[in-house]
Amino acid sequence: MTDLQQRPSDERQATALPADLNARELARWSWRQLTSMRTALVLLLLLALASIPGSVIPQEDIDSLAVSQWRDNHPRLAPIWDRLDLFAVYSSVWFSAIYLLLMISLVGCIIPRLFVYARALRARPPRAPRNLSRMPESTSYTTDEDPDVVLDRAAVVIRKRRFRVDRPAGGDSVAAERGHLREAGNLLFHLAVIVVLVGVAIGSLFGYKGGVILLNGKDYGFTNNLTSYDDFAPGSLFDPSVMEPFSFSITDFDVEWMTEGRRRGQARNFVAHLDYRTQPDAPTQQYDLKVNHPLSIGGTDVFLIGHGYAPVITIRDGDGNVTKTGPATFLPINPQTFESFGVVKAPFAEPTQIGLEGTFYPTFQLGRDEDGSLSMPSSAFGDAVDPLVSLFVYTGDIGVSDGSASSVYVLDKANATQLRKADGQPFRMDLRPGETVTLPDGLGSVTFDGLQRWNKIQISRTPGKFIALGGMVAALLGLLASLFVRPRRLWVRARRQDDGTTLVEVARLDRSSGGDPETGRDELTGIVAALKKTAPDRDGAES
């Protein structure tokens, strides 16, 4: 646009501050700022930074148990984190705002560039500069051929090298251009980013993610319905009717333990053996569920993400009746040694309710400090070589009498009384499998019957994952094109000189930064050689 064509409002927007613009000009200025590539890059950086809390802080829709433990361990920070939605980062208002602004910025930035690119594809290559000898890469030679013959041959030679060629009728030059795929790759990359964001948005809106801790054994099964989940995070447009009616149980669990090195005691490989049905009346099938090898049923994926121990505890009350029996899930507090924490509740015990809280040690050990005294108990190994469960006892109101929902992993001790010995020390039971401890004051007894294993299963449905995957592939292709395709231009001019010979000038311009000069000279030399190949020399022989 020339100065004569420039509108006063455009000039005013270019120099005025936003406060000096009217409403229309301010809206146009804001839109240009939002849809600039600089803003898109800033928003992309903000989106990456905003994702960091979701990776560091436990999320409600991924591991609600970890969130509960975090709240208990950080009672002062938890209310602040709740106000900032840091336990649900990816569904928070501020994260969604960055996400939407990035989408708008990318769309507003790319669409105009698509029209510019379409016009560039239809446009002819630029005409040859007046003085080709001033180009960075140029050469010339003389021949007895007619200029039109040279130019016609040049058009054929250059076209074979996949250049777009313009041979104006009556002109003295041939113009050629190549490398439009570089800009196409750049546009494809940015379009692919939008596709990835759309795919992620579709999965977040219409999909769901849930988790369940499932005990091993055919007696403990899972059916894919809302009531079977320990934690469930649906998308805002989730429809329960899309849930596949599959079911499964864990028949066996295998684990290999590392016995040497710095990671001694950690689980190396573990696999859960499943019996599953895709429909209630479908035949039973088997699958070995491993980490990063999910079971796919329809559009739903079943992942194995963790495992642990469930001591089998039996509580008898003061009347001798079994008031609680079965495996109790203990959650690992040390991922290397699988030292675990858990609670057991007996709300119907007589004469008073009983609650147990304590730690499970798969391989119990008592170390010694430097002075020779016994240190705190711990687990020496993740495998159950010498299992022991250490429990404290609470009586009275353990927070389940009012019928309100309570976590099976948390014992409400606000109105309970901790059982103590005669010397005032807390009463603690250290039990190995098969052992029984009688509680004082006629409260009953506690038996450690044995061990079971549990697995943490994550189930997710992500409708837009293939869209996002396609976007990632397209982004990779676009990035490769923008990195390795070199846009360049080529000109050949042929003019008759006063002595009757024809001066042929060939010039090349590499428009990509960092172009290899040696490669450019090789291409230029090859074109000149092809032009001379059938050209007769001054004596009439072919060179």
Side-chain angles (χ1 to χ4, degrees):
M1 180 180 293
T2 65
D3 293 338
L4 295 177
Q5 293 173 322
Q6 187 175 9
R7 293 170 295 181
S9 59
D10 292 337
E11 183 179 358
R12 184 182 177 190
Q13 290 184 53
T15 58
L17 296 175
D20 300 328
L21 305 178
N22 58 39
R24 180 178 178 181
E25 293 169 343
L26 180 61
R28 182 180 298 175
W29 179 88
S30 301
W31 174 254
R32 288 178 177 174
Q33 296 300 312
L34 178 61
T35 57
S36 66
M37 184 57 66
R38 179 180 59 185
T39 302
L41 292 175
V42 170
L43 289 172
L44 190 60
L45 176 62
L46 286 177
L47 190 69
L49 293 176
S51 302
I52 294 177
S55 303
V56 177
I57 301 174
Q59 300 294 290
E60 285 281 3
D61 59 347
I62 297 177
D63 194 344
S64 58
L65 299 178
V67 174
S68 299
Q69 293 178 353
W70 201 95
R71 293 179 190 273
D72 294 337
N73 296 332
H74 306 83
R76 294 185 179 180
L77 286 177
I80 301 175
W81 266 220
D82 282 326
R83 294 190 191 98
L84 297 176
D85 287 331
L86 294 182
F87 294 121
V89 169
Y90 305 113
S91 59
S92 63
V93 174
W94 52 269
F95 188 87
S96 300
I98 298 174
Y99 196 95
L100 292 175
L101 286 174
L102 177 60
M103 287 283 293
I104 295 172
S105 179
L106 286 174
V107 171
C109 177
I110 292 173
I111 289 180
R113 291 179 62 186
L114 288 174
F115 290 106
V116 173
Y117 180 68
R119 289 195 297 268
L121 285 178
R122 295 193 300 267
R124 292 182 175 183
R127 293 183 177 182
R130 179 175 300 176
N131 194 340
L132 290 180
S133 62
R134 293 183 179 178
M135 301 298 294
E137 299 166 8
S138 63
T139 186
S140 63
Y141 69 94
T142 58
T143 180
D144 290 335
E145 288 188 300
D146 186 78
D148 288 336
V149 174
V150 175
L151 294 177
D152 289 341
R153 186 187 304 118
V156 174
V157 169
I158 297 173
R159 191 175 284 113
K160 288 182 179 179
R161 293 176 176 264
R162 300 180 182 177
F163 279 80
R164 292 194 311 128
V165 177
D166 181 31
R167 169 74 166 92
D172 64 349
S173 64
V174 172
E177 191 173 28
R178 183 180 177 183
H180 278 84
L181 284 180
R182 183 186 184 93
E183 179 63 15
N186 193 13
L187 291 173
L188 178 61
F189 175 80
H190 290 88
L191 284 172
V193 173
I194 297 178
V195 172
V196 171
L197 293 176
V198 170
V200 173
I202 291 175
S204 300
L205 291 174
F206 297 95
Y208 68 87
K209 182 185 295 182
V212 60
I213 290 181
L214 188 62
L215 292 167
N216 297 357
K218 293 185 177 181
D219 296 334
Y220 306 96
F222 173 85
T223 303
N224 190 33
N225 55 58
L226 296 177
T227 59
S228 299
Y229 286 88
D230 293 334
D231 51 82
F232 189 80
S236 56
L237 300 179
F238 166 71
D239 182 4
S241 64
V242 303
M243 299 178 69
E244 285 88 353
F246 61 83
S247 60
F248 63 84
S249 61
I250 302 175
T251 58
D252 199 5
F253 181 74
D254 297 328
V255 59
E256 295 181 13
W257 301 94
M258 301 182 68
T259 58
E260 298 178 352
R262 296 177 58 186
R263 300 177 62 188
R264 178 182 180 274
Q266 286 189 336
R268 177 168 51 190
N269 295 315
F270 48 94
V271 54
H273 304 282
L274 300 186
D275 282 355
Y276 73 95
R277 294 181 178 180
T278 57
Q279 299 281 343
D281 55 350
T284 301
Q285 304 179 59
Q286 285 75 39
Y287 187 82
D288 291 341
L289 189 63
K290 304 177 183 179
V291 176
N292 297 326
H293 290 80
L295 169 63
S296 297
I297 303 175
T300 306
D301 294 321
V302 180
F303 296 88
L304 174 63
I305 62 174
H307 61 99
Y309 293 98
V312 181
I313 305 294
T314 297
I315 300 178
R316 289 178 172 84
D317 62 12
D319 298 332
N321 299 318
V322 176
T323 185
K324 178 69 176 181
T325 186
T329 300
F330 276 53
L331 303 178
I333 55 179
N334 187 322
Q336 181 169 346
T337 64
F338 276 80
E339 184 177 324
S340 306
F341 176 83
V343 302
V344 184
K345 303 177 185 179
F348 303 108
E350 295 292 344
T352 183
Q353 297 179 1
I354 298 175
L356 308 179
E357 179 184 80
T359 306
F360 170 73
Y361 306 95
T363 303
F364 179 76
Q365 69 172 2
L366 272 176
R368 291 186 178 275
D369 296 329
E370 296 180 356
D371 59 359
S373 60
L374 293 176
S375 63
M376 295 294 292
S378 62
S379 180
F381 200 70
D383 197 8
V385 177
D386 183 20
L388 179 142
V389 61
S390 180
L391 299 170
F392 294 98
V393 183
Y394 295 84
T395 60
D397 184 4
I398 57 175
V400 294
S401 302
D402 56 359
S404 60
S406 61
S407 173
V408 296
Y409 307 105
V410 178
L411 182 64
D412 185 357
K413 297 173 286 188
N415 299 315
T417 301
Q418 186 175 13
L419 194 63
R420 296 183 178 273
K421 300 178 183 178
D423 59 1
Q425 296 297 318
F427 181 84
R428 190 182 75 185
M429 301 177 292
D430 294 330
L431 299 169
R432 285 184 167 87
E435 295 182 347
T436 300
V437 170
T438 301
L439 301 177
D441 302 329
L443 293 176
S445 64
V446 177
T447 302
F448 181 14
D449 296 308
L451 271 181
Q452 280 192 235
R453 304 298 299 265
W454 57 261
N455 292 110
K456 179 65 181 293
I457 305 296
Q458 179 178 292
I459 301 167
S460 62
R461 179 182 176 87
T462 312
K465 62 182 178 181
F466 292 111
I467 297 177
L469 177 61
M472 292 295 294
V473 173
L476 180 60
L477 294 176
L479 184 61
L480 291 175
S482 63
L483 290 177
F484 295 106
V485 174
R486 295 182 297 110
R488 51 201 188 273
R489 290 171 178 170
L490 192 70
W491 297 277
V492 177
R493 175 177 286 131
R495 291 181 293 188
R496 184 71 74 179
Q497 299 185 104
D498 294 338
D499 60 358
T501 61
T502 298
L503 175 64
V504 181
E505 297 176 288
V506 184
R508 178 185 180 276
L509 176 62
D510 195 332
R511 301 176 60 205
S512 60
S513 59
D516 186 1
E518 192 66 31
T519 302
R521 284 192 292 268
D522 291 343
E523 184 175 47
L524 196 63
T525 302
I527 292 174
V528 172
L531 292 176
K532 290 182 177 181
K533 188 174 182 181
T534 58
D537 58 20
R538 299 295 296 271
D539 297 328
E542 290 188 354
S543 58

